[in-house]
Amino acid sequence: MKSVAKKNGWNFNWRDEFKEPERDVYKLTIVNNQNIIQGLVSLEVKEDHVYMHLVESAPFNKGKNKIYTGVAGNLVAFACKLSFQRGHKGNVSFLSKTQLIEHYEKTLGAIHFGGRIMIIETNTALKLINKYFKNQ
Amino acid sequence: MRIKKTESDLDFIGGLGSLTAEEEKALSAYFKKKKTNSISLGDQKKSRETKKALLLK
């Protein structure tokens, strides 16, 4: 985890995220190399859904020259899976900047709930899970 | 408004802090309503099935 720092190209302060007791941080790795973090997600299980505090692809998985595509999508699908496991029917929420609302609607199938809130509901959650976890 | 190049891919989400109390309340009300709707729909179906079973007797 030492490599996960702003000086190494990460945008968010993941060390602080680890310190939040109500949140869990999950890492995405590839099967053959579990030491290299491909992306991170910080999740909080709420009373009726899962809230995504942060999702971030590793610096080498960002932009045009990324090594792996779909890292963030994979992590969002994981959040949906966790939501089903906790009995919340795949419902997930997160906050978005105004200019990215349309982008999240297109790439994730998320719905603009209002204000800065985006939600992912059951059917979309199932689609994402089928897309990223179809071999499990 | 121009979107930063780094934000055009789905590379990250968040960084806007936690939900406010008002946002929490709105979401909670929405999910609760959704849950109630699905339960009542289930009950209606069950009720129809019971009615059908009674009619068959």
Side-chain angles (χ1 to χ4, degrees):
Chain A
M1 275 305 293
K2 277 182 185 173
S3 61
V4 182
K6 286 195 175 185
K7 65 174 181 181
N8 293 327
W10 291 83
N11 281 325
F12 300 125
N13 191 339
W14 287 95
R15 281 171 190 241
D16 283 355
E17 209 61 24
F18 271 109
K19 292 174 193 165
E20 297 288 341
E22 75 284 2
R23 304 176 195 178
D24 284 316
V25 176
Y26 298 89
K27 66 175 180 178
L28 178 71
T29 61
I30 58 168
V31 176
N32 296 327
N33 191 341
Q34 296 188 11
N35 294 320
I36 297 177
I37 295 170
Q38 303 294 334
L40 291 168
V41 61
S42 168
L43 302 173
E44 181 178 345
V45 180
K46 299 268 186 190
E47 201 181 316
D48 39 29
H49 73 285
V50 168
Y51 177 66
M52 290 196 299
H53 283 274
L54 294 176
V55 179
E56 185 175 3
S57 300
F60 50 84
N61 285 327
K62 283 179 193 155
K64 277 185 183 174
N65 299 319
K66 59 180 75 175
I67 296 175
Y68 292 110
T69 56
V71 171
N74 197 306
L75 292 164
V76 174
F78 176 78
C80 296
K81 204 164 182 269
L82 183 71
S83 174
F84 275 110
Q85 287 166 349
R86 298 298 171 95
H88 296 334
K89 299 182 175 180
N91 294 322
V92 169
S93 77
F94 60 95
L95 299 179
S96 170
K97 288 178 184 171
T98 313
Q99 66 265 39
L100 290 174
I101 287 170
E102 202 182 328
H103 180 63
Y104 293 138
E105 285 173 342
K106 281 181 188 164
T107 53
L108 293 173
I111 296 166
H112 183 212
F113 181 81
R116 53 183 195 158
I117 308 175
M118 302 293 296
I119 56 171
I120 295 172
E121 296 192 281
T122 310
N123 286 344
T124 306
L126 284 172
K127 280 180 194 168
L128 288 170
I129 292 168
N130 287 336
K131 184 177 176 183
Y132 291 101
F133 291 89
K134 62 183 171 189
N135 295 326
Q136 288 178 24
Chain B
M1 193 181 284
R2 275 190 74 192
I3 296 171
K4 280 186 194 170
K5 200 177 175 187
T6 50
E7 291 174 344
S8 61
D9 292 319
L10 184 56
D11 289 338
F12 58 85
I13 292 172
L16 297 177
S18 299
L19 291 165
T20 62
E22 264 187 22
E23 287 170 337
E24 287 254 17
K25 207 174 163 186
L27 275 174
S28 179
Y30 175 75
F31 288 128
K32 201 172 276 177
K33 194 179 171 191
K34 210 176 134 190
K35 202 173 176 180
T36 314
N37 282 348
S38 68
I39 289 169
S40 65
L41 279 174
D43 286 348
Q44 278 174 16
K45 195 181 169 193
K46 204 173 170 183
S47 157
R48 275 201 302 271
E49 280 166 2
T50 314
K51 207 173 173 183
K52 204 173 165 186
L54 286 171
L55 285 170
L56 287 172
K57 278 185 182 176

